[in-house]
Amino acid sequence: MEEEELNDYFLAEYTAEDFNLTNKSGTYDRRDGVEDLDTFRDLQEAMDIMNFLPEEKKDIWRVTCACLHLSNITFDSISADESKINFENDHLEPALQLLGIEGEALNTALCYFSIMAGKERHMRSISKEKAAKGMEALIKATYGALFTSLVRRINDSITLKEVAASGRGGAAVRKAATIGVLDIFGFESFKTNSFEQLCINYCNEALQQQFNIFVLKNEQDEYEREGIQWSFISFPENQDVLDLIDKKGSGILNILDDQCRAPGTTDKTFANDVYNKCTGHTRFEANFMQ
């Protein structure tokens, strides 16, 4: 970005190392020889090809940069169960301006929740720790909505539009075929894996199973029924992995749902519940000390 643009998005004084959203890995330099500047230029060119308007691109940068600044916002404790945004934080004003919202509105959304008692709505405050978790959820939801919007926007740009034929008895021109691209091999395992990484790997495991069933298993079953001679292609079965993650009652995600609904639960109670319910599973490895 040019210096003027960096100022517009409140980035001129910061680097990737300064934002909590980008500094957790401790890695800032690429090792594959690719320059970020070249990649950004390619992105700009691709957006032009997809017919993104200048204002659309600015909105995308605004939301992305707002997420960076939101990740650095901190909270102050008022009491054990009450908190507020630190309004002296240098990243608060940039986030508010980029999103076009008021500080008090953001404070209310993050530091309070409402409950219905009969027909009356009551506001309750939350602790500093819970407010910080709420901020993380807000960033994830905002970035996720931006990603979904981009996918929809790109699909709209490349989708063949049906054109009504002119003249009597003319038929609409319809697309004859489609090309689908599926990239499912994104499995990663780090020394410390985040919840997001678990969700990524779970999604990939589910897609891998669909691929195995429809591309390998069903096709080979069809060959057998038709008496076609071929060399059988073996493939690993991963249903046990999916059961460990999502099986009703004993899957990790179901245990997490139950913990979120119950009062007084903590990271420790969640870990203990996972250990107690998943210890006998062949894919689960942990000891009670962990």
Side-chain angles (χ1 to χ4, degrees), residues 40-282:
F40 185 70
R41 286 171 177 165
D42 290 341
L43 172 62
Q44 293 270 35
E45 182 180 352
M47 296 177 84
D48 290 337
I49 294 172
M50 292 291 103
N51 297 317
F52 278 81
L53 299 174
E55 193 57 36
E56 286 183 295
K57 289 192 284 187
K58 289 181 180 179
D59 286 341
I60 293 169
W61 309 146
R62 288 188 190 107
V63 173
T64 304
C65 294
C67 288
L68 290 173
H69 288 289
L70 285 174
S71 71
N72 279 27
I73 291 177
T74 54
F75 297 85
D76 295 327
S77 291
I78 299 176
S79 66
D81 296 315
E82 189 174 3
S83 61
K84 66 180 180 66
I85 288 177
N86 177 6
F87 283 89
E88 301 299 319
N89 189 294
D90 292 337
H91 296 272
L92 177 61
E93 190 58 31
L96 296 176
Q97 289 194 37
L98 290 168
L99 293 176
I101 58 178
E102 298 292 334
E104 286 300 332
L106 182 63
N107 185 72
T108 300
L110 293 172
C111 299
Y112 295 86
F113 69 99
S114 62
I115 58 174
M116 292 296 295
K119 296 182 179 181
E120 296 182 358
R121 183 181 297 274
H122 300 273
M123 298 295 293
R124 293 289 186 270
S125 59
I126 61 176
S127 66
K128 171 183 174 180
E129 291 74 22
K130 289 184 178 179
K133 290 294 184 182
M135 176 63 82
E136 292 178 5
L138 173 62
I139 295 171
K140 292 175 185 177
T142 302
Y143 192 81
L146 174 62
F147 183 86
T148 300
S149 177
L150 283 172
V151 171
R152 185 180 298 111
R153 178 68 174 77
I154 293 169
N155 285 342
D156 289 342
S157 297
I158 64 178
T159 299
L160 176 65
K161 306 298 189 296
E162 294 185 2
V163 181
S166 60
R168 172 181 284 181
V173 178
R174 298 180 180 276
K175 53 188 178 183
T178 60
I179 298 175
V181 180
L182 175 62
D183 176 15
I184 58 177
F185 299 104
F187 303 94
E188 291 181 305
S189 180
F190 304 102
K191 185 175 181 180
T192 300
N193 293 281
S194 65
F195 176 72
E196 289 83 355
Q197 192 60 52
L198 171 65
C199 293
I200 291 170
N201 286 347
Y202 168 53
C203 179
N204 286 329
E205 289 286 359
L207 288 172
Q208 180 69 64
Q209 185 184 64
Q210 291 296 308
F211 180 87
N212 290 346
I213 291 174
F214 289 100
V215 177
L216 297 175
K217 184 178 184 301
N218 289 355
E219 283 297 313
Q220 295 190 115
D221 289 345
E222 183 69 20
Y223 290 171
E224 284 190 347
R225 286 192 295 270
E226 296 183 6
I228 298 175
Q229 297 296 318
W230 89 104
S231 297
F232 184 83
I233 301 173
S234 60
F235 53 90
E237 173 60 56
N238 67 342
Q239 184 59 52
D240 56 342
V241 177
L242 294 174
D243 287 343
L244 175 61
I245 299 173
D246 69 2
K247 188 174 182 179
K248 187 175 182 180
S250 61
I252 293 173
L253 295 181
N254 284 275
I255 295 172
L256 179 59
D257 281 341
D258 292 340
Q259 287 281 314
C260 289
R261 294 190 187 99
T265 54
T266 63
D267 291 347
K268 185 176 181 179
T269 62
F270 169 61
N272 288 340
D273 206 10
V274 170
Y275 179 78
N276 292 331
K277 293 183 178 179
C278 299
T279 297
H281 197 285
T282 57

